[in-house]
Amino acid sequence: MKKSLLLGVSMLLCACANASASEGLVSFEVAERKCLAEALFFEAGNQPLIGMIAVGEVIVNRIKSDNYPDTICDVVHEGPIYKWHYKQLNKKVPIKHKCQFSYYCDGKTENIADFERTQTYQKVVKAVIYILDILNTGKSKIRIVDGATHYHADYVNPHWSKHLEQTIQIENHIFYK
């Protein structure tokens, strides 16, 4: 079974020799919340709350799968990066239109802080709280996407959708496992 999020946090804290345990935990949790809020806002900001939670559930399902990274940030930022930027500047620059979550590599700057006073952001906060509860407790009151690890908007037709089972459609997002 894949290592748990808690084990990942413990390993991160041990690696931070100069930081106290609480500082390491807080910074990790803040980064994870930020990545989740970003993904939900830019991927599902046009969706109702249930649609945002569904996208969050896909992220959770990927974390639980051996086929994807173990953290929220690694899941939503998964994709190839330009090697030159990384080697020369130590900066991860995603290759445009090649990421798992399209908002991350669409060439636009995403700054969630610009939207913190919007109603959409308030819905995102509710979804983040619910999704983090699922991750922390391992329990969910509902299973919206029935184990889906993929989704796309109905106006695109990705090649992988032909090889997966559709589980549900919410607004213009179609989910697959």
Side-chain angles (χ1 to χ4, degrees):
M1 177 150 201
K2 196 172 195 179
K3 65 183 175 257
S4 71
L5 184 61
L6 186 58
L7 178 60
V9 170
S10 298
M11 290 170 33
L12 177 69
L13 292 176
C14 291
C16 298
N18 295 330
S20 73
S22 63
E23 287 172 348
L25 181 60
V26 168
S27 63
F28 177 78
E29 288 177 342
V30 167
E32 291 288 277
R33 281 194 305 266
K34 181 179 183 250
C35 288
L36 183 56
E38 223 177 66
L40 297 183
F41 188 90
F42 293 110
E43 287 284 309
N46 65 337
Q47 302 292 308
L49 181 60
I50 195 79
M52 290 180 183
I53 292 171
V55 168
E57 193 176 321
V58 166
I59 294 167
V60 169
N61 290 341
R62 284 186 175 208
I63 291 168
K64 291 179 179 180
S65 169
D66 290 334
N67 298 322
Y68 299 97
D70 295 335
T71 69
I72 293 168
C73 291
D74 288 346
V75 165
V76 300
H77 296 159
E78 186 179 12
I81 60 170
Y82 288 105
K83 290 181 177 40
W84 184 88
H85 288 89
Y86 190 69
K87 288 180 182 177
Q88 300 297 319
L89 306 172
N90 197 28
K91 183 177 179 184
K92 290 184 176 180
V93 177
I95 297 173
K96 197 170 182 181
H97 306 302
K98 298 288 183 184
C99 300
Q100 294 290 315
F101 288 80
S102 60
Y103 87 93
Y104 183 64
C105 62
D106 61 5
K108 299 175 186 172
T109 302
E110 280 79 22
N111 187 359
I112 193 99
D114 295 341
F115 303 97
E116 288 178 349
R117 295 181 187 253
T118 66
Q119 287 182 337
T120 300
Y121 183 80
Q122 298 310 310
K123 282 195 313 187
V124 165
V125 169
K126 290 177 185 176
V128 165
I129 291 167
Y130 182 83
I131 293 157
L132 291 177
D133 185 54
I134 292 171
L135 267 177
N136 292 331
T137 65
K139 298 175 184 173
S140 174
K141 296 170 187 82
I142 54 174
R143 299 244 185 246
I144 300 166
V145 298
D146 190 26
T149 54
H150 293 71
Y151 70 94
H152 66 82
D154 63 2
Y155 53 83
V156 297
N157 190 16
H159 66 86
W160 52 258
S161 65
K162 295 168 188 58
H163 307 288
L164 297 174
E165 176 187 341
Q166 183 177 333
T167 62
I168 193 169
Q169 181 167 350
I170 300 172
E171 299 283 326
N172 72 327
H173 280 161
I174 306 169
F175 296 82
Y176 299 85
K177 63 179 177 179

